[in-house]
């Protein structure tokens, strides 16, 4: 393994779909679900976007039946920056294969330059597809409205804090404010949604989610906690043993740098890990 691959290995399952599926098998043995992500973003070449969409179709067919065929995709990887029509066409093709194999496609949310376009493409596809969900980011001021609209349409939402650098004019920049928004939106999704996905490693938010579900007698089947591969693996297991559904986001592929960089930016312990690895510790 080359040095950069070795560093990314903490957060990335490997360079191939086989390596990701192998992680999916290990998770399944522990009662943990997975969503698979072929890494990459900001593709500005239509032919490359098409190849990436085809690779996602192949992935959906390759995930064994016993592992849920659940993938996460970024629309900028499917040519959103080339043309919205191309992106719609490629994503619809992936959704078609997902339908054929009983799979589900989650559309990740990217930086604010793509927020509205991502929601628009999702809503267009949603009219014809049940097997697609969206991600909304608690740090954006607009998100509570987006959550309410999604709930009114019966859309499946994954809530996360948000991983991109956004200006104070559109996003909360203090962690306390982001957490308050996360808690508000979690309560909305749990109370009114049927497949709420609450994505965080933040213990205070995990506890809030579970306490609220208990208080409101929301059954475990109505929501799941989601975490990223490599982060808090012991917690995935304790939560699963306690009866909470957990899904792990399993990224793979060679285009890992932007994903890796976001993981370093959001938590100093992740930087320390990389420094320790470099020093051979
Ligand atoms: P954060 O990193 O803010 O940490 C807060 C606290 O959590 C820490 O102080 C510590 O107490 C605890 N903690 C965190 N990591 C820990 C660890 N490894 N060990 C022990 N304690 C730890 N973003 C986006 O913009 N678009 C998207 O589509 C997605 N998709 C997505 C899917 C999934 C499944 C997840 C989990 C996350 C995303 N994200 C995302 C990323 C998300 O927006 C956010 O950047 C990260 O999850 C980091 O925020 P957290 O809430 O996890 O904790």
């Amino acid at each position: 393994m080359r040095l950069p691959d070795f560093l990314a290995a903490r957060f990335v399952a490997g360079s191939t779909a086989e390596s990701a599926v192998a992680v999916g098998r290990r998770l399944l043995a522990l009662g943990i679900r997975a969503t698979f992500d072929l890494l990459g973003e900001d593709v500005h070449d239509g032919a490359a976007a098409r190849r990436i969409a085809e690779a996602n179709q192949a992935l959906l067919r390759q995930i064994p039946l016993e592992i849920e065929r659940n993938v996460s995709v970024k629309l900028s990887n499917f040519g959103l920056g080339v043309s919205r029509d191309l992106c719609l066409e490629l994503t619809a093709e992936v959704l078609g294969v997902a339908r054929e194999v009983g799979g589900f496609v989650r559309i990740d949310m990217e930086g604010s330059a793509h927020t509205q376009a991502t929601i628009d493409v999702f809503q267009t596809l949603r009219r014809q597809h049940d097997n697609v969900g969206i991600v909304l980011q608690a740090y954006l001021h607009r998100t509570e409205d987006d959550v309410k609209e999604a709930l009114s349409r019966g859309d499946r939402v994954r809530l996360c804090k948000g991983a991109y650098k956004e200006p104070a004019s559109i996003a909360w920049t203090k962690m306390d404010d982001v957490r308050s928004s996360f808690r508000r939106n979690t309560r909305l999704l749990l109370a009114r949604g049927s497949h709420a996905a609450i994505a965080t490693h933040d213990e205070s938010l995990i506890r809030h989610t579970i306490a609220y579900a208990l208080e409101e007698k929301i059954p475990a089947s109505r929501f799941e906690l989601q975490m990223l591969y490599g982060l808090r693996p012991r917690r995935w297991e304790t939560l699963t043993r306690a009866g909470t559904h957990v899904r792990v986001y399993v990224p793979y592929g060679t285009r890992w740098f932007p994903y890796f960089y976001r993981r370093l930016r959001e938590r100093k312990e992740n930087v320390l890990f990389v420094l320790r690895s470099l020093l051979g510790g």
Side-chain angles (χ1 to χ4, degrees):
M1 198 183 275
R2 287 179 297 131
L3 183 63
D5 293 339
F6 163 68
L7 290 180
R10 160 80 188 256
F11 307 107
V12 175
S15 54
T16 61
E18 288 75 17
S19 48
V21 168
V23 168
R25 274 192 206 289
R26 290 204 290 279
L27 291 171
L28 181 68
L30 298 167
I32 298 168
R33 302 162 192 203
T35 181
F36 300 97
D37 169 44
L38 171 56
L39 288 164
E41 46 207 89
D42 287 329
V43 169
H44 293 286
D45 163 4
R50 192 169 290 282
R51 282 194 298 278
I52 291 162
E54 284 165 5
N56 273 275
Q57 295 179 28
L59 168 66
L60 278 160
R61 295 189 196 283
Q62 190 175 343
I63 301 169
L65 193 55
E66 63 274 18
I67 302 178
E68 271 180 44
R69 289 158 174 171
N70 187 311
V71 300
S72 291
V73 302
K74 288 188 174 51
L75 294 188
S76 75
N77 216 7
F78 286 5
L80 189 60
V82 180
S83 99
R84 198 177 286 204
D85 285 347
L86 174 71
C87 179
L88 261 172
E89 179 195 326
L90 296 180
T91 317
E93 283 170 14
V94 172
L95 285 173
V97 172
R99 180 189 283 150
E100 229 177 85
V101 301
F104 179 79
V105 178
R106 175 77 63 183
I107 297 180
D108 284 351
M109 188 55 78
E110 302 180 65
S112 57
H114 294 309
T115 310
Q116 192 56 52
T118 302
I119 291 177
D120 291 345
V121 168
F122 166 70
Q123 291 301 353
T124 304
L125 294 165
R126 180 71 179 92
R127 285 185 212 119
Q128 284 168 14
H129 297 270
D130 280 336
N131 58 343
V132 60
I134 186 82
V135 178
L136 296 173
Q137 300 155 320
Y139 64 11
L140 291 185
H141 298 159
R142 60 176 285 165
T143 287
E144 191 165 337
D145 290 338
D146 289 332
V147 163
K148 287 179 179 159
E149 187 172 348
L151 285 169
S152 73
R153 297 170 190 251
D155 296 342
R156 290 171 65 161
V157 174
R158 173 200 294 152
L159 179 69
C160 66
K161 278 182 189 163
Y164 300 81
K165 201 163 172 47
E166 302 292 0
S169 53
I170 59 163
W172 280 286
T173 52
K174 293 201 183 74
M175 187 54 92
D176 277 354
D177 295 333
V178 177
R179 284 195 176 110
S180 302
S181 166
F182 197 105
R183 284 191 292 268
R184 265 195 320 278
N185 286 300
T186 296
R187 290 195 294 271
L188 284 171
L189 288 168
L190 255 59
R192 292 166 45 198
S194 56
H195 292 95
I198 308 300
T200 183
H201 314 94
D202 189 325
E203 193 56 34
S204 70
L205 298 178
I206 292 171
R207 282 173 196 240
H208 173 266
T209 303
I210 293 171
Y212 182 75
L214 267 177
E215 207 175 284
E216 297 298 317
K217 300 190 172 45
I218 295 162
S221 56
R222 290 247 315 269
F223 72 99
E224 63 187 30
L225 286 168
Q226 298 192 346
M227 297 196 212
L228 301 176
Y229 177 74
L231 297 179
R232 309 204 68 190
R234 282 192 295 276
R235 194 67 178 114
W236 313 337
E237 291 189 51
T238 55
L239 284 165
T240 303
R241 280 200 295 273
T244 300
H245 292 181
V246 175
R247 187 179 304 276
V248 172
Y249 186 102
V250 181
Y252 74 95
T254 52
R255 294 167 58 222
W256 48 259
F257 189 74
Y259 177 88
F260 176 72
Y261 179 69
R262 285 194 290 278
R263 302 293 77 81
L264 296 193
R265 218 168 58 91
E266 69 203 2
R267 204 167 140 74
K268 69 175 183 312
E269 284 80 352
N270 294 342
V271 178
L272 293 177
F273 164 81
V274 169
L275 290 176
R276 269 200 304 273
S277 307
L278 275 174
L279 296 172

